[in-house]
Amino acid sequence: MTVLSFENSDRLFWLGRYSERVYTGLRSFAEKFDSMTDSAAYESKSDFAKNFCFDEKNPSSIRSSLLKAYDNAIVLRDEIGTETFSYVQLALYEMSKAEKSKAPMLNLQKVIDNIAAFWGMADDIIEDEQVRGLIKLGKRIERVDLYARMKINGSDIKDIKREICRLIYRLTKTGIRYNAENFEKLKTLADGNEINASEIMTAVENLIELNS
């Protein structure tokens, strides 16, 4: 097993989070593209796409998250392998092509596909269970957080509960220290009949104790 520094453990965790942020963010973008452009906040589809997807100055944009994933991945090439890293690189390449395209959805779908391929390659190639586990843990935490923010309505509650259960399973397998109170809170939320988005977000953001 690789002996990871705190810095690289943190980078692996955030590589998982940022890659998930790109993946779920783009899927949400594709689903809501037409309805969001009707909002008074955006002048046109191209204005919406520019702000939500491509604006590097916007820390919440998809491109900003992808660049952060890339920055972490390039430092971690020894841990994750060049072939695994290449899919993050390819995702960034497709993002740049999408920005220049008059019909960006095809290239944005390729960004999604490359992020999925990155996860698949990481699972297949990375031998160190701790390295794999930290990426997956970051991914699961980010997904629960995003689902709570974006999908807290009607039948989508079952998706949030499913992802909480997956996060709990991943956390117990990884062996990372966690806040017991927030862990139990998530278990209770997953078992309940209702979901409180604010409580979920607070619990997941205060769950991991990487530096302990």
Side-chain angles (χ1 to χ4, degrees):
M1 178 179 289
T2 304
V3 178
L4 293 169
S5 65
F6 166 69
E7 289 78 9
N8 278 358
S9 295
D10 193 59
R11 288 188 184 105
L12 287 162
F13 176 74
W14 280 101
L15 174 56
R17 291 201 66 161
Y18 284 125
S19 60
E20 173 62 32
R21 199 171 295 179
V22 171
Y23 181 83
T24 293
L26 280 179
R27 290 185 65 190
S28 177
F29 172 78
E31 292 170 2
K32 299 177 180 179
F33 185 54
D34 289 329
S35 62
M36 288 297 290
T37 53
D38 291 335
S39 167
Y42 301 103
E43 296 178 0
S44 64
K45 288 185 177 182
S46 60
D47 179 54
F48 172 51
K50 178 181 178 182
N51 282 277
F52 186 81
C53 286
F54 305 121
D55 187 1
E56 288 185 35
K57 296 180 181 179
N58 177 4
S60 299
S61 74
I62 301 298
R63 187 179 185 87
S64 290
S65 293
L66 184 52
L67 284 168
K68 289 172 183 174
Y70 177 86
D71 288 344
N72 281 297
I74 199 168
V75 174
L76 295 163
R77 286 178 83 159
D78 288 344
E79 285 77 16
I80 68 175
T82 300
E83 195 169 359
T84 304
F85 163 74
S86 69
Y87 283 99
V88 181
Q89 196 171 31
L90 284 170
L92 190 57
Y93 172 71
E94 293 296 341
M95 177 65 74
S96 296
K97 288 180 66 176
E99 184 176 11
K100 298 173 184 176
S101 174
K102 293 182 179 179
M105 295 308 300
L106 177 61
N107 294 108
L108 291 177
Q109 180 59 51
K110 290 180 179 179
V111 175
I112 294 173
D113 294 344
N114 279 305
I115 293 297
F118 158 71
W119 289 332
M121 190 61 65
D123 212 27
D124 188 53
I125 285 184
I126 299 173
E127 295 183 5
D128 192 286
E129 186 174 351
Q130 185 183 13
V131 172
R132 290 198 313 272
L134 281 165
I135 295 172
K136 290 180 179 180
L137 179 60
K139 171 185 172 181
R140 292 296 171 202
I141 282 184
E142 187 67 24
R143 184 169 292 185
V144 169
D145 183 67
L146 289 173
Y147 276 29
R149 292 174 189 275
M150 298 191 302
K151 304 188 72 164
I152 191 70
N153 59 74
S155 61
D156 291 327
I157 288 175
K158 68 180 184 298
D159 296 333
I160 300 171
K161 289 187 173 185
R162 182 189 66 240
E163 295 304 329
I164 291 174
C165 290
R166 287 177 173 177
L167 168 56
I168 289 169
Y169 172 76
R170 174 53 49 193
L171 188 56
T172 56
K173 282 201 68 175
T174 305
I176 296 296
R177 292 180 64 88
Y178 56 84
N179 181 286
E181 182 179 349
N182 287 312
F183 181 81
E184 292 301 322
K185 182 66 175 179
L186 284 173
K187 287 176 66 176
T188 300
L189 288 166
D191 291 337
N193 294 322
E194 296 182 1
I195 288 292
N196 184 303
S198 178
E199 289 184 0
I200 292 172
M201 289 185 286
T202 298
V204 295
E205 288 300 331
N206 295 283
L207 182 62
I208 304 303
E209 300 175 350
L210 279 178
N211 59 342
S212 299

